Amino acid sequence: MPPYLQPPLEPQEFPKSEMRALLESMRHVMNSWAYLAPFDIGLPAEGPAFLEMEKSVYFSGRAKGILNIRTTPELASILAEYASGEPGGAEDAKDAFREFVNIFCGHLMTFLWGQESAGFDPYLPQDSTQKDWPAAPPSAACCFLVGNSPVEVRLWVEREIFA
């Protein structure tokens, strides 16, 4: 896998509450669910990054939006092992990544909209690619390093994609 290069840090125009929610939700879920420490490394890289694992969650209810998370198969395997306590195969890694995205989305929605996030319609992580993303830039985006694997997170909310 080619090394993951991040763009230079520049001032961000993202709403602070959404960025804080992404950062805090990632720390909480990685620490409590997988016992891993994510390190915030700034914005996702421009252009195609070779991150084979990608899921998007389309949510609606109190707000509409899309959460997208991308990473490597290596991290998905680590998530599977840490979540179950034993090494697993490729399917276990896919299941663990899907579960991680689902848990992360739930924590993110609670962080952004409070306990009333139960007012959201059911959602499930779906396979996705960059061509499935909205044309508008995300409401918030960040990248983490977990072990040697990058984790890109992008969030689009109603005002950006449905306005």
Side-chain angles (χ1 to χ4, degrees):
M1 180 174 101
Y4 186 86
L5 300 175
Q6 65 182 12
L9 294 177
E10 296 178 12
Q12 299 177 19
E13 298 299 320
F14 299 134
K16 289 181 181 178
S17 63
E18 291 170 4
M19 278 301 298
R20 184 166 176 244
L22 290 177
L23 296 170
E24 292 301 321
S25 296
M26 180 63 69
R27 285 186 193 110
H28 177 76
V29 174
M30 277 291 182
N31 285 317
S32 66
W33 185 71
Y35 307 106
L36 295 169
F39 297 98
D40 177 17
I41 59 172
L43 297 172
E46 291 294 324
F50 302 100
L51 302 175
E52 299 171 38
M53 305 292 291
E54 180 174 337
K55 296 281 185 194
S56 288
V57 175
Y58 298 82
F59 57 89
S60 62
R62 293 192 60 212
K64 289 183 179 181
I66 300 170
L67 170 67
N68 177 271
I69 302 180
R70 306 172 71 210
T71 193
T72 63
E74 292 81 13
L75 181 59
S77 293
I78 292 170
L79 290 173
E81 183 173 348
Y82 282 30
S84 69
E86 55 189 53
E91 282 306 309
D92 295 323
K94 288 179 185 179
D95 289 345
F97 180 61
R98 182 176 31 255
E99 182 67 12
F100 165 74
V101 172
N102 192 42
I103 292 169
F104 178 83
C105 187
H107 282 279
L108 177 66
M109 292 166 66
T110 299
F111 196 101
L112 285 171
W113 294 288
Q115 294 298 325
E116 296 82 29
S117 65
F120 282 92
D121 297 333
Y123 56 85
L124 291 173
Q126 300 174 16
D127 291 335
S128 62
T129 65
Q130 283 183 275
K131 66 181 179 217
D132 300 321
W133 299 356
S139 307
C142 53
C143 189
F144 298 89
L145 196 59
V146 180
N148 292 324
S149 296
V151 180
E152 294 181 349
V153 181
R154 291 172 178 82
L155 175 68
W156 290 267
V157 293
E158 184 172 334
R159 67 183 174 276
E160 278 75 24
I161 62 174
F162 300 104

mmCIF file of all heavy atoms in Angstrom, residues 104-143:
data_model
loop_
_atom_site.group_PDB
_atom_site.id
_atom_site.type_symbol
_atom_site.label_atom_id
_atom_site.label_comp_id
_atom_site.label_asym_id
_atom_site.label_seq_id
_atom_site.Cartn_x
_atom_site.Cartn_y
_atom_site.Cartn_z
ATOM 1 N N PHE A 104 -20.234 3.951 15.466
ATOM 2 C CA PHE A 104 -19.729 5.312 15.339
ATOM 3 C C PHE A 104 -20.859 6.268 14.947
ATOM 4 O O PHE A 104 -20.994 7.349 15.533
ATOM 5 C CB PHE A 104 -18.608 5.372 14.297
ATOM 6 C CG PHE A 104 -18.066 6.753 14.088
ATOM 7 C CD1 PHE A 104 -17.106 7.274 14.935
ATOM 8 C CD2 PHE A 104 -18.520 7.542 13.045
ATOM 9 C CE1 PHE A 104 -16.607 8.555 14.754
ATOM 10 C CE2 PHE A 104 -18.040 8.827 12.855
ATOM 11 C CZ PHE A 104 -17.069 9.328 13.707
ATOM 12 N N CYS A 105 -21.681 5.872 13.995
ATOM 13 C CA CYS A 105 -22.790 6.725 13.559
ATOM 14 C C CYS A 105 -23.750 7.005 14.708
ATOM 15 O O CYS A 105 -24.188 8.142 14.904
ATOM 16 C CB CYS A 105 -23.524 6.088 12.381
ATOM 17 S SG CYS A 105 -24.788 7.159 11.655
ATOM 18 N N GLY A 106 -24.071 6.000 15.485
ATOM 19 C CA GLY A 106 -24.963 6.193 16.625
ATOM 20 C C GLY A 106 -24.401 7.182 17.634
ATOM 21 O O GLY A 106 -25.109 8.068 18.118
ATOM 22 N N HIS A 107 -23.107 7.056 17.945
ATOM 23 C CA HIS A 107 -22.479 7.988 18.881
ATOM 24 C C HIS A 107 -22.407 9.396 18.297
ATOM 25 O O HIS A 107 -22.630 10.375 19.011
ATOM 26 C CB HIS A 107 -21.085 7.500 19.283
ATOM 27 C CG HIS A 107 -21.123 6.417 20.299
ATOM 28 N ND1 HIS A 107 -21.285 6.660 21.639
ATOM 29 C CD2 HIS A 107 -21.049 5.071 20.171
ATOM 30 C CE1 HIS A 107 -21.293 5.517 22.297
ATOM 31 N NE2 HIS A 107 -21.149 4.537 21.421
ATOM 32 N N LEU A 108 -22.110 9.485 17.011
ATOM 33 C CA LEU A 108 -22.038 10.796 16.362
ATOM 34 C C LEU A 108 -23.390 11.503 16.414
ATOM 35 O O LEU A 108 -23.478 12.684 16.758
ATOM 36 C CB LEU A 108 -21.577 10.639 14.911
ATOM 37 C CG LEU A 108 -21.520 11.914 14.089
ATOM 38 C CD1 LEU A 108 -20.441 12.851 14.622
ATOM 39 C CD2 LEU A 108 -21.265 11.583 12.625
ATOM 40 N N MET A 109 -24.456 10.786 16.099
ATOM 41 C CA MET A 109 -25.792 11.377 16.105
ATOM 42 C C MET A 109 -26.188 11.808 17.518
ATOM 43 O O MET A 109 -26.777 12.873 17.696
ATOM 44 C CB MET A 109 -26.795 10.407 15.487
ATOM 45 C CG MET A 109 -26.538 10.245 13.992
ATOM 46 S SD MET A 109 -27.372 8.854 13.224
ATOM 47 C CE MET A 109 -29.052 9.313 13.356
ATOM 48 N N THR A 110 -25.843 11.011 18.515
ATOM 49 C CA THR A 110 -26.143 11.388 19.894
ATOM 50 C C THR A 110 -25.330 12.620 20.295
ATOM 51 O O THR A 110 -25.844 13.529 20.939
ATOM 52 C CB THR A 110 -25.842 10.225 20.855
ATOM 53 O OG1 THR A 110 -26.675 9.121 20.492
ATOM 54 C CG2 THR A 110 -26.095 10.612 22.298
ATOM 55 N N PHE A 111 -24.065 12.664 19.877
ATOM 56 C CA PHE A 111 -23.226 13.809 20.210
ATOM 57 C C PHE A 111 -23.770 15.084 19.567
ATOM 58 O O PHE A 111 -23.811 16.135 20.197
ATOM 59 C CB PHE A 111 -21.791 13.548 19.739
ATOM 60 C CG PHE A 111 -20.790 14.474 20.354
ATOM 61 C CD1 PHE A 111 -20.004 14.057 21.408
ATOM 62 C CD2 PHE A 111 -20.616 15.763 19.874
ATOM 63 C CE1 PHE A 111 -19.075 14.902 21.984
ATOM 64 C CE2 PHE A 111 -19.689 16.616 20.440
ATOM 65 C CZ PHE A 111 -18.909 16.192 21.499
ATOM 66 N N LEU A 112 -24.205 15.001 18.308
ATOM 67 C CA LEU A 112 -24.690 16.186 17.595
ATOM 68 C C LEU A 112 -26.098 16.600 18.000
ATOM 69 O O LEU A 112 -26.387 17.790 18.121
ATOM 70 C CB LEU A 112 -24.656 15.949 16.083
ATOM 71 C CG LEU A 112 -23.284 15.993 15.435
ATOM 72 C CD1 LEU A 112 -23.378 15.527 13.983
ATOM 73 C CD2 LEU A 112 -22.708 17.403 15.498
ATOM 74 N N TRP A 113 -26.994 15.629 18.190
ATOM 75 C CA TRP A 113 -28.399 15.947 18.390
ATOM 76 C C TRP A 113 -28.945 15.486 19.731
ATOM 77 O O TRP A 113 -30.135 15.545 19.976
ATOM 78 C CB TRP A 113 -29.227 15.378 17.234
ATOM 79 C CG TRP A 113 -28.874 16.061 15.947
ATOM 80 C CD1 TRP A 113 -29.199 17.337 15.593
ATOM 81 C CD2 TRP A 113 -28.128 15.520 14.862
ATOM 82 N NE1 TRP A 113 -28.684 17.625 14.357
ATOM 83 C CE2 TRP A 113 -28.020 16.514 13.877
ATOM 84 C CE3 TRP A 113 -27.527 14.283 14.627
ATOM 85 C CZ2 TRP A 113 -27.358 16.327 12.676
ATOM 86 C CZ3 TRP A 113 -26.857 14.095 13.425
ATOM 87 C CH2 TRP A 113 -26.779 15.108 12.468
ATOM 88 N N GLY A 114 -28.097 14.993 20.613
ATOM 89 C CA GLY A 114 -28.520 14.608 21.946
ATOM 90 C C GLY A 114 -29.242 13.272 21.978
ATOM 91 O O GLY A 114 -29.329 12.551 20.981
ATOM 92 N N GLN A 115 -29.770 12.950 23.146
ATOM 93 C CA GLN A 115 -30.461 11.676 23.336
ATOM 94 C C GLN A 115 -31.697 11.563 22.454
ATOM 95 O O GLN A 115 -32.189 10.479 22.207
ATOM 96 C CB GLN A 115 -30.844 11.490 24.805
ATOM 97 C CG GLN A 115 -29.649 11.339 25.717
ATOM 98 C CD GLN A 115 -28.807 10.113 25.383
ATOM 99 O OE1 GLN A 115 -29.315 9.072 24.983
ATOM 100 N NE2 GLN A 115 -27.505 10.238 25.545
ATOM 101 N N GLU A 116 -32.176 12.686 21.968
ATOM 102 C CA GLU A 116 -33.344 12.645 21.087
ATOM 103 C C GLU A 116 -32.995 12.063 19.727
ATOM 104 O O GLU A 116 -33.827 11.999 18.839
ATOM 105 C CB GLU A 116 -33.926 14.050 20.898
ATOM 106 C CG GLU A 116 -34.456 14.670 22.167
ATOM 107 C CD GLU A 116 -33.347 15.308 23.012
ATOM 108 O OE1 GLU A 116 -32.333 15.761 22.444
ATOM 109 O OE2 GLU A 116 -33.505 15.328 24.231
ATOM 110 N N SER A 117 -31.739 11.612 19.547
ATOM 111 C CA SER A 117 -31.344 11.027 18.266
ATOM 112 C C SER A 117 -32.165 9.774 17.967
ATOM 113 O O SER A 117 -32.149 9.265 16.868
ATOM 114 C CB SER A 117 -29.852 10.694 18.244
ATOM 115 O OG SER A 117 -29.550 9.694 19.185
ATOM 116 N N ALA A 118 -32.925 9.301 18.955
ATOM 117 C CA ALA A 118 -33.822 8.171 18.707
ATOM 118 C C ALA A 118 -34.874 8.559 17.677
ATOM 119 O O ALA A 118 -35.548 7.705 17.130
ATOM 120 C CB ALA A 118 -34.480 7.725 20.002
ATOM 121 N N GLY A 119 -35.003 9.865 17.393
ATOM 122 C CA GLY A 119 -35.948 10.333 16.396
ATOM 123 C C GLY A 119 -35.469 10.112 14.973
ATOM 124 O O GLY A 119 -36.058 10.629 14.033
ATOM 125 N N PHE A 120 -34.406 9.346 14.777
ATOM 126 C CA PHE A 120 -33.901 9.073 13.441
ATOM 127 C C PHE A 120 -34.485 7.784 12.896
ATOM 128 O O PHE A 120 -34.754 6.835 13.633
ATOM 129 C CB PHE A 120 -32.368 8.978 13.448
ATOM 130 C CG PHE A 120 -31.709 10.320 13.504
ATOM 131 C CD1 PHE A 120 -31.374 10.890 14.714
ATOM 132 C CD2 PHE A 120 -31.447 11.018 12.345
ATOM 133 C CE1 PHE A 120 -30.781 12.127 14.775
ATOM 134 C CE2 PHE A 120 -30.862 12.270 12.391
ATOM 135 C CZ PHE A 120 -30.522 12.827 13.610
ATOM 136 N N ASP A 121 -34.693 7.771 11.593
ATOM 137 C CA ASP A 121 -35.151 6.562 10.924
ATOM 138 C C ASP A 121 -34.039 5.512 11.002
ATOM 139 O O ASP A 121 -32.864 5.854 11.131
ATOM 140 C CB ASP A 121 -35.490 6.864 9.466
ATOM 141 C CG ASP A 121 -36.632 7.860 9.332
ATOM 142 O OD1 ASP A 121 -37.465 7.925 10.258
ATOM 143 O OD2 ASP A 121 -36.688 8.570 8.325
ATOM 144 N N PRO A 122 -34.394 4.226 10.916
ATOM 145 C CA PRO A 122 -33.361 3.190 10.951
ATOM 146 C C PRO A 122 -32.330 3.417 9.841
ATOM 147 O O PRO A 122 -32.667 3.887 8.758
ATOM 148 C CB PRO A 122 -34.139 1.900 10.707
ATOM 149 C CG PRO A 122 -35.531 2.213 11.115
ATOM 150 C CD PRO A 122 -35.732 3.669 10.804
ATOM 151 N N TYR A 123 -31.099 3.102 10.139
ATOM 152 C CA TYR A 123 -30.026 3.275 9.160
ATOM 153 C C TYR A 123 -29.100 2.079 9.223
ATOM 154 O O TYR A 123 -28.964 1.444 10.264
ATOM 155 C CB TYR A 123 -29.247 4.573 9.421
ATOM 156 C CG TYR A 123 -28.677 4.661 10.812
ATOM 157 C CD1 TYR A 123 -27.446 4.083 11.121
ATOM 158 C CD2 TYR A 123 -29.364 5.308 11.834
ATOM 159 C CE1 TYR A 123 -26.928 4.153 12.406
ATOM 160 C CE2 TYR A 123 -28.838 5.381 13.117
ATOM 161 C CZ TYR A 123 -27.625 4.805 13.387
ATOM 162 O OH TYR A 123 -27.105 4.863 14.649
ATOM 163 N N LEU A 124 -28.487 1.771 8.105
ATOM 164 C CA LEU A 124 -27.523 0.679 8.029
ATOM 165 C C LEU A 124 -26.344 1.115 7.181
ATOM 166 O O LEU A 124 -26.533 1.753 6.138
ATOM 167 C CB LEU A 124 -28.155 -0.560 7.389
ATOM 168 C CG LEU A 124 -29.226 -1.269 8.198
ATOM 169 C CD1 LEU A 124 -29.862 -2.362 7.362
ATOM 170 C CD2 LEU A 124 -28.637 -1.856 9.471
ATOM 171 N N PRO A 125 -25.136 0.783 7.586
ATOM 172 C CA PRO A 125 -23.976 1.081 6.746
ATOM 173 C C PRO A 125 -24.080 0.314 5.426
ATOM 174 O O PRO A 125 -24.451 -0.858 5.406
ATOM 175 C CB PRO A 125 -22.795 0.580 7.572
ATOM 176 C CG PRO A 125 -23.288 0.569 8.979
ATOM 177 C CD PRO A 125 -24.750 0.228 8.878
ATOM 178 N N GLN A 126 -23.773 1.017 4.342
ATOM 179 C CA GLN A 126 -23.836 0.422 3.006
ATOM 180 C C GLN A 126 -22.479 0.559 2.333
ATOM 181 O O GLN A 126 -21.775 1.543 2.548
ATOM 182 C CB GLN A 126 -24.883 1.141 2.157
ATOM 183 C CG GLN A 126 -26.267 1.092 2.724
ATOM 184 C CD GLN A 126 -27.229 1.947 1.912
ATOM 185 O OE1 GLN A 126 -26.941 2.334 0.783
ATOM 186 N NE2 GLN A 126 -28.369 2.249 2.489
ATOM 187 N N ASP A 127 -22.140 -0.419 1.486
ATOM 188 C CA ASP A 127 -20.924 -0.294 0.686
ATOM 189 C C ASP A 127 -21.044 0.951 -0.173
ATOM 190 O O ASP A 127 -22.134 1.283 -0.661
ATOM 191 C CB ASP A 127 -20.741 -1.515 -0.211
ATOM 192 C CG ASP A 127 -20.406 -2.768 0.578
ATOM 193 O OD1 ASP A 127 -19.855 -2.648 1.688
ATOM 194 O OD2 ASP A 127 -20.703 -3.869 0.086
ATOM 195 N N SER A 128 -19.937 1.653 -0.364
ATOM 196 C CA SER A 128 -19.956 2.852 -1.183
ATOM 197 C C SER A 128 -18.590 3.070 -1.804
ATOM 198 O O SER A 128 -17.617 2.408 -1.444
ATOM 199 C CB SER A 128 -20.371 4.077 -0.359
ATOM 200 O OG SER A 128 -19.442 4.323 0.673
ATOM 201 N N THR A 129 -18.545 4.005 -2.741
ATOM 202 C CA THR A 129 -17.296 4.451 -3.359
ATOM 203 C C THR A 129 -17.376 5.963 -3.493
ATOM 204 O O THR A 129 -18.436 6.559 -3.281
ATOM 205 C CB THR A 129 -17.078 3.829 -4.752
ATOM 206 O OG1 THR A 129 -18.107 4.301 -5.625
ATOM 207 C CG2 THR A 129 -17.093 2.306 -4.698
ATOM 208 N N GLN A 130 -16.279 6.579 -3.876
ATOM 209 C CA GLN A 130 -16.250 8.024 -4.021
ATOM 210 C C GLN A 130 -17.305 8.539 -4.995
ATOM 211 O O GLN A 130 -17.808 9.632 -4.829
ATOM 212 C CB GLN A 130 -14.866 8.488 -4.481
ATOM 213 C CG GLN A 130 -13.858 8.494 -3.354
ATOM 214 C CD GLN A 130 -12.531 9.027 -3.813
ATOM 215 O OE1 GLN A 130 -11.739 8.267 -4.342
ATOM 216 N NE2 GLN A 130 -12.296 10.302 -3.606
ATOM 217 N N LYS A 131 -17.653 7.764 -6.000
ATOM 218 C CA LYS A 131 -18.643 8.241 -6.976
ATOM 219 C C LYS A 131 -20.042 8.344 -6.356
ATOM 220 O O LYS A 131 -20.911 9.003 -6.914
ATOM 221 C CB LYS A 131 -18.652 7.356 -8.212
ATOM 222 C CG LYS A 131 -19.132 5.958 -7.977
ATOM 223 C CD LYS A 131 -19.091 5.137 -9.247
ATOM 224 C CE LYS A 131 -19.575 3.754 -8.915
ATOM 225 N NZ LYS A 131 -18.931 2.707 -9.572
ATOM 226 N N ASP A 132 -20.253 7.723 -5.179
ATOM 227 C CA ASP A 132 -21.540 7.810 -4.487
ATOM 228 C C ASP A 132 -21.649 9.059 -3.610
ATOM 229 O O ASP A 132 -22.717 9.348 -3.093
ATOM 230 C CB ASP A 132 -21.752 6.574 -3.598
ATOM 231 C CG ASP A 132 -21.752 5.279 -4.389
ATOM 232 O OD1 ASP A 132 -22.302 5.263 -5.500
ATOM 233 O OD2 ASP A 132 -21.193 4.283 -3.885
ATOM 234 N N TRP A 133 -20.558 9.788 -3.435
ATOM 235 C CA TRP A 133 -20.565 10.946 -2.551
ATOM 236 C C TRP A 133 -21.312 12.110 -3.195
ATOM 237 O O TRP A 133 -21.322 12.249 -4.424
ATOM 238 C CB TRP A 133 -19.158 11.408 -2.255
ATOM 239 C CG TRP A 133 -18.277 10.418 -1.565
ATOM 240 C CD1 TRP A 133 -18.607 9.172 -1.100
ATOM 241 C CD2 TRP A 133 -16.895 10.581 -1.288
ATOM 242 N NE1 TRP A 133 -17.520 8.569 -0.533
ATOM 243 C CE2 TRP A 133 -16.450 9.412 -0.642
ATOM 244 C CE3 TRP A 133 -15.988 11.602 -1.522
ATOM 245 C CZ2 TRP A 133 -15.146 9.243 -0.219
ATOM 246 C CZ3 TRP A 133 -14.694 11.438 -1.098
ATOM 247 C CH2 TRP A 133 -14.273 10.272 -0.455
ATOM 248 N N PRO A 134 -21.890 12.990 -2.385
ATOM 249 C CA PRO A 134 -22.501 14.203 -2.925
ATOM 250 C C PRO A 134 -21.455 15.075 -3.620
ATOM 251 O O PRO A 134 -20.264 15.023 -3.283
ATOM 252 C CB PRO A 134 -23.042 14.923 -1.684
ATOM 253 C CG PRO A 134 -23.183 13.849 -0.659
ATOM 254 C CD PRO A 134 -22.087 12.864 -0.942
ATOM 255 N N ALA A 135 -21.902 15.875 -4.570
ATOM 256 C CA ALA A 135 -20.986 16.767 -5.281
ATOM 257 C C ALA A 135 -20.490 17.888 -4.371
ATOM 258 O O ALA A 135 -19.383 18.386 -4.543
ATOM 259 C CB ALA A 135 -21.677 17.346 -6.510
ATOM 260 N N ALA A 136 -21.309 18.280 -3.413
ATOM 261 C CA ALA A 136 -20.935 19.366 -2.489
ATOM 262 C C ALA A 136 -19.838 18.896 -1.549
ATOM 263 O O ALA A 136 -19.757 17.704 -1.226
ATOM 264 C CB ALA A 136 -22.152 19.798 -1.683
ATOM 265 N N PRO A 137 -19.002 19.806 -1.084
ATOM 266 C CA PRO A 137 -17.998 19.408 -0.088
ATOM 267 C C PRO A 137 -18.681 18.989 1.207
ATOM 268 O O PRO A 137 -19.802 19.418 1.490
ATOM 269 C CB PRO A 137 -17.160 20.671 0.108
ATOM 270 C CG PRO A 137 -17.945 21.789 -0.447
ATOM 271 C CD PRO A 137 -18.927 21.218 -1.426
ATOM 272 N N PRO A 138 -18.021 18.144 1.998
ATOM 273 C CA PRO A 138 -18.642 17.702 3.244
ATOM 274 C C PRO A 138 -18.791 18.838 4.257
ATOM 275 O O PRO A 138 -18.079 19.833 4.202
ATOM 276 C CB PRO A 138 -17.681 16.631 3.761
ATOM 277 C CG PRO A 138 -16.398 16.857 3.057
ATOM 278 C CD PRO A 138 -16.703 17.557 1.777
ATOM 279 N N SER A 139 -19.736 18.656 5.161
ATOM 280 C CA SER A 139 -19.930 19.603 6.261
ATOM 281 C C SER A 139 -18.729 19.578 7.199
ATOM 282 O O SER A 139 -18.362 20.591 7.780
ATOM 283 C CB SER A 139 -21.165 19.224 7.079
ATOM 284 O OG SER A 139 -22.271 19.085 6.257
ATOM 285 N N ALA A 140 -18.156 18.395 7.369
ATOM 286 C CA ALA A 140 -16.970 18.220 8.206
ATOM 287 C C ALA A 140 -16.229 16.983 7.713
ATOM 288 O O ALA A 140 -16.859 16.043 7.206
ATOM 289 C CB ALA A 140 -17.361 18.060 9.671
ATOM 290 N N ALA A 141 -14.925 16.997 7.849
ATOM 291 C CA ALA A 141 -14.105 15.851 7.446
ATOM 292 C C ALA A 141 -12.834 15.858 8.273
ATOM 293 O O ALA A 141 -12.339 16.919 8.668
ATOM 294 C CB ALA A 141 -13.761 15.923 5.961
ATOM 295 N N CYS A 142 -12.327 14.660 8.557
ATOM 296 C CA CYS A 142 -11.065 14.549 9.272
ATOM 297 C C CYS A 142 -10.471 13.177 8.982
ATOM 298 O O CYS A 142 -11.117 12.318 8.393
ATOM 299 C CB CYS A 142 -11.235 14.772 10.768
ATOM 300 S SG CYS A 142 -12.480 13.743 11.535
ATOM 301 N N CYS A 143 -9.239 13.015 9.388
ATOM 302 C CA CYS A 143 -8.543 11.754 9.172
ATOM 303 C C CYS A 143 -7.818 11.375 10.445
ATOM 304 O O CYS A 143 -7.299 12.239 11.159
ATOM 305 C CB CYS A 143 -7.556 11.904 8.020
ATOM 306 S SG CYS A 143 -6.825 10.337 7.504
#
